[in-house]
Amino acid sequence: MIDEATAREKVVRAADELFYTRGVQAVGMDAVRSAAGVSLKRIYSLFASKDELIVAVLRYRTEIWDAGLAAAALRATTARERILAIFDFLDAWFREPEFRGCAFINTHGELSASSDAVAGAVREQKSAFQAYVAGLVEALGAPPQLAPQLAILAEGAQTTAAIAGVPDAARQARVAAETLIDAAMR
């Protein structure tokens, strides 16, 4: 029998893939069981409800998102480059064949009205991203109101890329971000 941490990881990764490709409501716990290779009894000993599993998946997605942003920022040498690296990260992500939009936005759209825990996990991630952008704007020495403008560009690019199937949304948002940064720094 696999240990608890390994079982939990298998279930979260399997659920993440299923939820992201099919949608949260379309995936039952039996599908998660089959994909993870973990019994339903074990899954429910790890996660008391599907909502609890969804929140765990969103936290896993947050780790992936944060790692992607950090990796993109490593290549940057200035605060301006670190801000623009957000859009470079998005551009690479949008071009991945399995890109289906933002898992947080997708999940919020499906479940926010019926699950306070899920809505809270989504808000937590979005708030953390806004704080990340605010820190970069502060390091740049730009006015604080630039941060939410840049965050909205990133969020809008994700939605546009997913709905319209246009990976160039990240490049277009990057150009708009450059314009906003230049205007704010004058």
Side-chain angles (χ1 to χ4, degrees), residues 90-113:
L90 293 175
D91 186 64
W93 177 37
F94 296 170
R95 293 175 192 286
E96 292 177 4
E98 63 276 355
F99 175 72
R100 304 275 185 282
C102 174
F104 301 97
I105 293 170
N106 297 347
T107 304
H108 189 270
E110 281 192 70
L111 300 175
S112 67

Side-chain angles (χ1 to χ4, degrees), residues 71-131:
L74 284 176
R75 296 184 288 276
T77 57
T78 67
R80 178 189 175 92
E81 289 174 358
R82 283 189 290 282
I83 291 169
L84 297 175
I86 293 167
F87 300 95
D88 298 337
F89 163 69
L90 293 175
D91 186 64
W93 177 37
F94 296 170
R95 293 175 192 286
E96 292 177 4
E98 63 276 355
F99 175 72
R100 304 275 185 282
C102 174
F104 301 97
I105 293 170
N106 297 347
T107 304
H108 189 270
E110 281 192 70
L111 300 175
S112 67
S114 62
S115 174
D116 290 339
V118 170
V122 171
R123 285 188 195 104
E124 183 180 306
Q125 188 276 334
K126 295 303 179 187
S127 179
F129 175 62
Q130 291 168 0

